[in-house]
């Protein structure tokens, strides 16, 4: 049983005339007996907490520092009207500082046999999995003097993904990639690392591409054309050891490395390359292999989300051996 501030106020108001007019046990009993009966009646009329039923729906993933909503459906199967205050508890990192008090608490009234849906707005401040803690509910009687209180656990997990702030650079980097592939009408011809063919020089060609032997043979300035390599195997390796806990500006070094890894993976997958990821310190912390171009970014984001820096020295030999194991060429 929980007593409310209204109960304390009534007890204080009743004690004043008793203390002034009839300071005796009889006077105290005359005030407290009706108040006690009212409290017991109010407690008996409060809707039971244990019978309540809860279900969750809503977001299961969200980028860091972006809002997420988790819905809580509360069903009142009892024959009494529910008047309650509810606290939907989450870890402190699920909210911005100093906002948990208002964001996690709800006031709800549910008639007998009906259901209401509450929405808890989250805005996580750390990567990883944020799991719902217990629901505390306080059910008040019709007089507001006493309340039943209980707890329920309704599991739910929201995965907080890396923010990928560098995605704003993706359009310009993709445009540059198309230029390197020679798929854009610009003065610069396609660049690459594999020899393709010879052709006659035109204004705008890189003079470093002139093939002087072919020029002497053909009596015309000839340039080599190149084509980008295709289907390369790119292994991105992240060090999750002690040094990755340092900060670059306002973000941990590991988070900055994740951002760069996501941008590189996005560009490489668009270029037709195969991208894998290895996160390592003294053991493998995350591994992504064999994903298609359309699957690689979601797979990387999910693998990186729960990663944290480990306060250990990175085993350089072990990291090299792991890299050669997963990318033997």
């Amino acid at each position: 049983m929980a007593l409310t501030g209204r109960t304390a106020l009534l007890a204080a108001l009743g004690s004043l005339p008793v203390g002034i007019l009839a300071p005796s046990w009889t006077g105290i009993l005359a005030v407290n007996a009706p108040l006690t009966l009212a409290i017991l009646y109010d407690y008996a009329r409060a809707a039971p907490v244990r019978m309540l039923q809860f279900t969750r729906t809503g977001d299961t993933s969200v980028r860091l520092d972006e809002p997420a909503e988790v819905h809580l459906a509360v069903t009142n199967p009892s024959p009494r009207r529910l008047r309650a205050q509810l606290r939907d508890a989450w870890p402190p990192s699920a909210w911005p500082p100093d906002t948990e008090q208002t964001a996690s608490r709800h006031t709800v009234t549910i008639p007998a046999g009906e259901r209401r849906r509450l929405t808890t707005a989250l805005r996580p401040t750390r990567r990883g999995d944020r799991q719902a803690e217990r629901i505390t509910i306080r059910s008040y009687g019709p007089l507001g003097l006493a309340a039943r209180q209980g707890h329920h656990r309704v599991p739910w997990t929201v995965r907080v993904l890396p923010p990928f702030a560098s995605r704003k650079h993706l359009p310009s980097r993709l445009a540059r990639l198309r230029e390197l592939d020679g798929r854009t009408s610009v003065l610069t011809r396609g660049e690459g690392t594999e020899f393709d063919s010879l052709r006659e020089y035109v204004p705008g060609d890189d003079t470093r591409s002139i093939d002087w032997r072919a020029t002497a043979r053909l009596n015309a300035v000839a340039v080599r054309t190149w084509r980008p390599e295709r289907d390369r195997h790119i292994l991105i390796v992240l060090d999750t050891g002690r040094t990755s806990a340092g900060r670059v500006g306002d973000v941990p070094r590991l988070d900055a490395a994740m951002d760069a890894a996501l941008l590189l993976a996005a560009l490489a997958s668009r270029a037709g390359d195969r991208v894998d990821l290895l996160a390592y310190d003294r053991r493998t912390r995350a591994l992504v292999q064999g994903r298609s171009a359309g699957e690689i970014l979601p797979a990387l984001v999910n693998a990186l989300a729960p990663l944290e820096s480990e306060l250990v020295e990175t085993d350089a030999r072990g990291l090299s051996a792991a890299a050669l194991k997963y990318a033997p060429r």
Side-chain angles (χ1 to χ4, degrees), residues 164 170 261-263 265-266 269 292-302:
F164 194 12
L170 193 56
L262 291 173
L263 183 60
S269 62
S292 65
E295 297 174 341
I296 186 62
L297 269 184
L300 287 182
V301 167
N302 272 298

Side-chain angles (χ1 to χ4, degrees), residues 69-84:
E69 290 186 347
V70 177
H71 308 296
L72 182 67
V74 186
T75 303
N76 177 22
S78 73
R80 300 172 194 151
R81 186 181 188 88
L82 175 69
R83 307 169 185 83

Side-chain angles (χ1 to χ4, degrees), residues 180-260:
L180 294 176
D181 284 352
R183 290 180 285 163
T184 305
S185 298
V186 294
L187 289 176
T188 304
R189 305 300 175 187
E191 302 174 17
T193 56
E194 289 187 356
F195 175 75
D196 185 29
S197 62
L198 291 171
R199 60 171 174 79
E200 188 174 348
Y201 174 85
V202 296
D205 284 336
D206 190 343
T207 56
R208 291 173 297 179
S209 297
I210 295 176
D211 189 320
W212 295 107
R213 290 185 179 181
T215 297
R217 193 168 59 247
L218 299 174
N219 293 324
V221 180
V223 295
R224 304 184 191 95
T225 60
W226 309 88
R227 63 187 176 194
E229 293 182 58
R230 297 297 181 190
D231 198 29
R232 290 168 294 192
H233 183 196
I234 297 176
L235 177 64
I236 301 174
V237 180
L238 291 184
D239 177 4
T240 58
R242 176 183 58 81
T243 57
S244 67
R247 303 189 76 81
V248 179
D250 293 331
V251 298
R253 185 174 296 168
L254 179 60
D255 287 45
M258 288 181 182
D259 205 50

Side-chain angles (χ1 to χ4, degrees), residues 155-192:
W156 192 262
T157 301
V158 176
R159 172 155 287 192
V160 186
L161 308 175
F164 194 12
S166 63
R167 67 181 181 273
K168 63 186 177 183
H169 301 298
L170 193 56
S172 63
R173 297 301 90 195
L174 289 174
R176 177 58 179 157
L177 180 63
R178 288 192 291 271
E179 291 178 15
L180 294 176
D181 284 352
R183 290 180 285 163
T184 305
S185 298
V186 294
L187 289 176
T188 304
R189 305 300 175 187
E191 302 174 17

Side-chain angles (χ1 to χ4, degrees), residues 263-283:
L263 183 60
L264 174 60
L267 290 170
S269 62
R270 296 289 184 91
D273 299 325
R274 294 177 294 116
V275 182
D276 294 339
L277 173 98
L278 170 66
Y280 192 94
D281 42 66
R282 289 188 173 274
R283 63 181 178 87

Side-chain angles (χ1 to χ4, degrees), residues 77-191:
S78 73
R80 300 172 194 151
R81 186 181 188 88
L82 175 69
R83 307 169 185 83
Q85 288 185 344
L86 181 145
R87 179 176 181 263
D88 188 7
W90 289 76
S93 58
W95 337 81
D98 302 324
T99 62
E100 178 182 2
Q101 185 75 14
T102 55
S104 64
R105 298 177 187 271
H106 307 274
T107 300
V108 60
T109 300
I110 307 177
E114 295 190 13
R115 182 175 64 176
R116 295 289 184 270
R117 190 177 77 161
L118 309 175
T119 299
T120 301
L122 307 176
R123 197 180 188 95
T125 57
R126 288 185 61 187
R127 286 183 297 99
D129 292 336
R130 304 278 83 81
Q131 296 181 345
E133 298 178 358
R134 66 184 184 180
I135 297 170
T136 302
I137 188 163
R138 181 174 287 183
S139 172
Y140 294 94
L143 302 179
L145 300 177
R148 302 171 184 261
Q149 183 167 311
H151 309 285
H152 290 265
R153 289 194 177 273
V154 186
W156 192 262
T157 301
V158 176
R159 172 155 287 192
V160 186
L161 308 175
F164 194 12
S166 63
R167 67 181 181 273
K168 63 186 177 183
H169 301 298
L170 193 56
S172 63
R173 297 301 90 195
L174 289 174
R176 177 58 179 157
L177 180 63
R178 288 192 291 271
E179 291 178 15
L180 294 176
D181 284 352
R183 290 180 285 163
T184 305
S185 298
V186 294
L187 289 176
T188 304
R189 305 300 175 187
E191 302 174 17

